[in-house]
Amino acid sequence: MKKYNRNLGCIECDAAIDIRVFNYSIDNYFHPLCRRCQSWFSEILEYSTATDYAIELYFALKDRGVPARLEKSDGFKSIDIALPHAKVNIEVDGMHHSYNGKQAMSDLKRTLHSFKKGYSTLRIPNALTEYDLEQTADLITDYLIVSRRQNRKRYY
Ligand SMILES: [Zn+2]
């Protein structure tokens, strides 16, 4: 899948953006964002705990038309990438999530906490987004399509 081959729209909100805003945004934020979403993204970069891995995966999913939300709070801790439509939470994890037992236990408790509310959790290691971001995003998109379909079956 090629990047930036869609219309000149904001990747975050789909608002039309002109070529000057587009070029400015690519140069400064590496993604096509309208002026309003550039401010939003600046705040994410400055104040949020979102890692570059989570941000890159987030935009790769947005590129695929996935209605993802970055850094959504679940009342317990913030979720890296939330997909309320598919009832899936994505956590993009660094190494300490696998070698630190205390962290791993806290992750498992959170997975259960979300599952009780009907949300499954996908844990994506940072290394996977580095290894092949495009294929990772394609496979997650498949997972979301299936999850959405199964949720429909369950509730309707
Ligand atoms: Zn926008």
Side-chain angles (χ1 to χ4, degrees):
M1 193 198 138
K2 277 186 203 161
K3 273 191 147 185
Y4 310 136
N5 59 351
R6 15 184 281 160
N7 55 350
L8 283 185
C10 171
I11 193 170
E12 176 62 18
C13 74
D14 280 332
I17 45 180
D18 68 38
I19 189 70
R20 278 181 48 213
V21 174
F22 181 91
N23 289 335
Y24 177 87
S25 189
I26 296 295
D27 288 346
N28 290 277
Y29 302 102
F30 309 106
H31 297 283
L33 295 162
C34 69
R35 286 178 194 276
R36 195 172 59 89
C37 293
Q38 286 174 20
S39 317
W40 162 80
F41 190 48
S42 295
E43 289 198 5
I44 292 276
L45 292 177
E46 194 159 352
Y47 300 111
S48 93
T49 54
T51 62
D52 290 350
Y53 304 101
I55 290 169
E56 287 311 306
L57 180 58
Y58 171 75
F59 281 121
L61 292 170
K62 294 294 274 189
D63 255 349
R64 285 158 176 79
V66 172
R69 285 157 72 180
L70 190 61
E71 288 263 297
K72 186 179 175 292
S73 171
D74 66 352
F76 190 52
K77 196 180 155 269
S78 114
I79 296 160
D80 290 339
I81 302 172
L83 303 134
H85 290 84
K87 293 202 160 252
V88 174
N89 296 329
I90 297 178
E91 300 292 354
V92 185
D93 291 339
M95 279 297 285
H96 67 286
H97 287 265
S98 39
Y99 67 66
N100 180 326
K102 193 178 171 200
Q103 177 68 56
M105 183 58 78
S106 148
D107 291 345
L108 181 59
K109 286 179 180 169
R110 255 188 101 198
T111 298
L112 177 62
H113 169 84
S114 303
F115 192 64
K116 283 178 179 169
K117 292 181 175 176
Y119 288 80
S120 56
T121 301
L122 262 183
R123 298 201 161 272
I124 305 296
N126 285 346
L128 192 54
T129 68
E130 269 189 322
Y131 174 69
D132 192 337
L133 179 65
E134 298 305 316
Q135 196 185 351
T136 301
D138 281 340
L139 291 169
I140 293 173
T141 302
D142 276 351
Y143 183 99
L144 297 173
I145 290 168
V146 173
S147 179
R148 188 179 54 184
R149 200 181 299 143
Q150 289 176 346
N151 280 317
R152 271 205 204 112
K153 259 188 227 149
R154 209 171 296 152
Y155 296 113
Y156 298 103

